[in-house]
Amino acid sequence: MKNKLIYFLLILLGILITPACWDTKDINNRAYVSSIAIDEAAGATLGQENIPFRYKVTAEIIKPALLKDFSWKLQPEKSASIILTAEGETIERAFDVLQTTISRPLTLSHLQVLLVGERMADDIKKICSYFEKHPEVARRLRLIFVREQEALAILKTDPKLESYIAEELVGMTEISKNIASSTFKPFTQYLSEMRTNNGQALGAAANLFNNETLVRTGSAIFNDWKLVGWLDGEETRKASLLFPGNLENTFVGEYNQGIFTYKVDKKNSKIIPEVQNGNLSFKFRLKTDGIILQEEGNQLFLAEPKNIDKLEILFAKVIAGDVDEAIRKAQIIYKVDYFNFGMKLKNKDSDYFESLDWQETFPTVPIETDIEVKISRFGIAK
Amino acid sequence: MTMTIKENVKDKIDPRAIPLILLLTIIEFELFTVARKVFLIAGRDSWLAALLGGIFVTLGTYFLLRLMNRFPKQNFLQYIPQIWGKPIALIIALGYFLFWGSFLTLLFKNTAEVNQVFFLEKTPLLIPIFLIAIGAVWLVTYGFVPIIRFIQIISPVFLIPILLAILLTLSEIEIRNFFPILANGITPVLKGAVIYAGYFQGLEVILFLSPFLADTNKAFKPTLIGIGLLNMLAFVSITLVIGILGIKNTNEMLWPAFAMMSIIEIPGFPAERFELLLTVPLLIGVFVTISVTLYLLSYGIIQVFKISHKKTVIYVMALITILAIMLVPDFAWYIKFRGIHTYAAIIFIYFLPISTLTLAVLRKKGEYL
């Protein structure tokens, strides 16, 4: 019995003490990075002029003491985080430099947001490779491309409602899941689409309006893993009609000198590939349901079913126009299948799909639209 | 009381414990973090490969049970000399020792790597492994029944987090990730199904259960239920991984289940890293698999070579298999070796026992003639 007790105590001691000798991970002694901005480096820094720096890495590091003390919120210029920037040949090398400027080990286990500046967007494959391989990084990471500015400019803005900018961005992406004018795509979903569609997908976008107001709107368009263009908020709103999911969308139509606002809160869409006599075409079916929210000019008595029918026809045309515009943008302007028409065809007839050069075929494929609008409500006033 | 592999022990086990024994013995890093090779071969149709492979595994299990039932008071290593003759039986036994020994080494190596990547980055590779091995050795020295008792006691801690993890991830599935179905035909699915069956290393423990069962006839139902549960769990894991990560992302991951868990997010919930839900079951699964494999290896050697110093054999086997991880130069080699071992498993889990059963029937050996 005595021997067993000694044996047990030795094991317990070993389990408790030996790993900690090498791997003390006290949360009080770590610097938690909440967001990272990747930009193109301007040039060599820190006296290492001969190394061709490529990455300018900016990290937002949470200051736990400020999170506890709410009085700082009374001073609007402050955030509960600090922003540090370093440049390096690779992202890890930049982190090595960053580490020399801070007293605690940098930790990515609570990294929430990855911002990529427009000039680095073409290197997205290399950037993703780092974050995908890093054992500390969780896959729920939000990937956002920053239009026109450096990504670090976003990190330097003051959070409006939250304690630090990453928290603000997380909140914005959460609500943008239902907002048609912005794309929400977590890191894994973005990578999955890019890998499946030979580097074609839409990425989430953000920018600074008037260089000061953070706006989460629009989308970044990728083809062959390169950034080929952007959709602004309005274009993204139109494009969202072709995406699955119930994204809230608002339309304005004019009828008999009256202007009406229709808010779609339910939609059901389907892309149907059709091959007849060797000719490929697609049919896009969309059913919407929503509410009339605003009337201007000549108003209609909305309690009359005939008037609702008229508005349904009106908004079917408006929505069809938006859908056609979104498809034209993808087919003619960017020649990128970010609506995944190709995947629908592949799912239906993979042999036929494989026989096509989809990159060449997509811009010329006829796409017919069929829109059905329903107005089931008109608020609490006629 | 120290029990050996060959004794017709007095302390019998309840056949109802068999599903848990199989679940915890077979599940370890590779199967539970999802059989990587199945994804590489069958792609997005891996869920079909799992379904088909599940049928192979169930059939294999049925034949293992038939074999066990023919020799209700003996274990596999005891009755193979009657069927194959002593020289061939010795070669088969040595083959099994090599199979279990190499499996233990690969388990230790994988545990060490996972530990270093996710938890203890700077701790020397061997320290946590030695700690796990000390615990396993201690348990194994007491024989098979204490291992089963341990499995019974620890199983809620193993099962509840897994069920919770499944519930949390279900809503993240994207149906489109499963399409197109059978785009590359049925051949990759068939190959994937065979590989899937090979990942059920530990299934051969059925052949060593008979001395611990009062009535081997009663083992059929719980064993097949256990295998059914295990198949269902593996099928759900594979479906979740493809449905959430997509096949292209999955094939980039070393531990897809961990990647899958790191997608989960509950806004406003105080915890962020739900991978922890997998950590405890994985550690338990690995510990049990190591213990059972070490038991089979050590007691098999003790039995075949009639060695009286049982504890010494267990210690030496544990030490050798741990030190053998030094022979695996890096993780890339581990992946290669594990792939080869999976093919070997098909021989040792299915081919040899089924051949033994066939020969036993032909030569009219065993009971139930």
Side-chain angles (χ1 to χ4, degrees), chain B residues 153-186:
Chain B
I153 292 165
I154 206 82
S155 55
V157 190
F158 175 83
L159 287 171
I160 292 167
I162 288 180
L163 294 175
L164 199 60
I166 290 171
L167 283 177
L168 282 173
T169 44
L170 273 177
S171 62
E172 305 282 338
I173 289 182
E174 296 265 355
I175 299 295
R176 63 181 170 176
N177 286 334
F178 297 101
F179 291 99
I181 296 168
L182 291 176
N184 300 318
I186 193 74

Side-chain angles (χ1 to χ4, degrees), chain A residues 4, chain B residues 1-5 7 9-14 17 20-21 24-25 135-155 209 212 287-288 291-292 295 299 314:
Chain A
K4 279 182 192 171
Chain B
M1 184 179 79
T2 305
M3 287 166 242
T4 71
I5 200 167
E7 280 176 69
V9 287
K10 285 175 188 166
D11 194 359
K12 299 288 181 189
I13 57 167
D14 188 337
L20 286 178
I21 299 169
L24 273 82
T25 303
V137 164
W138 194 19
L139 189 59
V140 170
T141 49
Y142 287 92
F144 196 56
V145 176
I147 297 176
I148 293 163
R149 298 281 178 262
F150 174 78
I151 289 172
Q152 285 175 300
I153 292 165
I154 206 82
S155 55
L209 284 177
F212 303 96
F287 180 77
V288 171
S291 302
V292 173
Y295 167 83
Y299 282 76
I314 299 166

Side-chain angles (χ1 to χ4, degrees), chain B residues 125-139:
Chain B
L125 214 64
L126 290 178
I127 299 284
I129 294 306
F130 270 120
L131 291 173
I132 289 175
I134 289 170
V137 164
W138 194 19
L139 189 59

Side-chain angles (χ1 to χ4, degrees), chain B residues 192-205:
Chain B
V194 173
I195 295 294
Y196 171 87
Y199 274 102
F200 278 63
Q201 287 160 53
L203 192 65
E204 69 279 14
V205 77

Side-chain angles (χ1 to χ4, degrees), chain A residues 115 146 150-157 165 169 206-208 214:
Chain A
L115 296 154
V146 181
E150 279 195 315
L152 73 87
I154 301 270
L155 292 191
K156 286 183 175 172
T157 54
I165 198 67
L169 282 163
N207 64 304
L208 285 180
L214 171 59

Side-chain angles (χ1 to χ4, degrees), chain A residues 4 7-8 10-11 14-15 18-20 22-23 25 108-112 132 135-142 170 174 177 184 187-189 191-193 195-196 198 244 340 343-344 346-348 350-351, chain B residues 44 117-124 127-128 131 134-135 137-138 142 174 176-177 179-184 244-250 252-253 258-265 267 272-275 315:
Chain A
K4 279 182 192 171
Y7 199 52
F8 175 74
L10 274 174
I11 291 174
I15 291 167
T18 45
W22 291 274
D23 283 282
K25 285 188 178 174
L108 300 187
S109 60
H110 291 267
L111 179 66
Q112 294 170 297
E132 200 175 30
E136 281 180 1
V137 176
R139 297 294 182 284
R140 72 183 68 88
L141 180 70
R142 290 144 181 89
V170 168
E174 279 305 313
K177 283 176 187 172
F184 171 75
F187 183 70
T188 305
Q189 191 190 335
L191 269 184
S192 179
E193 279 186 30
R195 284 181 172 138
T196 310
N198 299 321
N340 293 329
M343 280 310 294
K344 294 285 174 189
K346 195 177 177 184
N347 290 351
K348 189 179 176 183
S350 66
D351 290 342
Chain B
R44 63 172 65 79
V117 168
F118 290 106
F119 310 115
L120 303 169
E121 194 184 323
K122 289 170 190 151
T123 306
I127 299 284
L131 291 173
I134 289 170
V137 164
W138 194 19
Y142 287 92
E174 296 265 355
R176 63 181 170 176
N177 286 334
F179 291 99
I181 296 168
L182 291 176
N184 300 318
I244 293 169
L245 292 176
I247 190 64
K248 298 269 172 142
N249 279 341
T250 305
E252 295 292 321
M253 301 287 131
F258 274 111
M260 178 184 78
M261 290 304 291
S262 83
I263 287 175
I264 301 169
E265 184 176 43
E272 275 188 24
R273 304 297 300 247
F274 292 95
E275 300 94 302
Y315 281 102

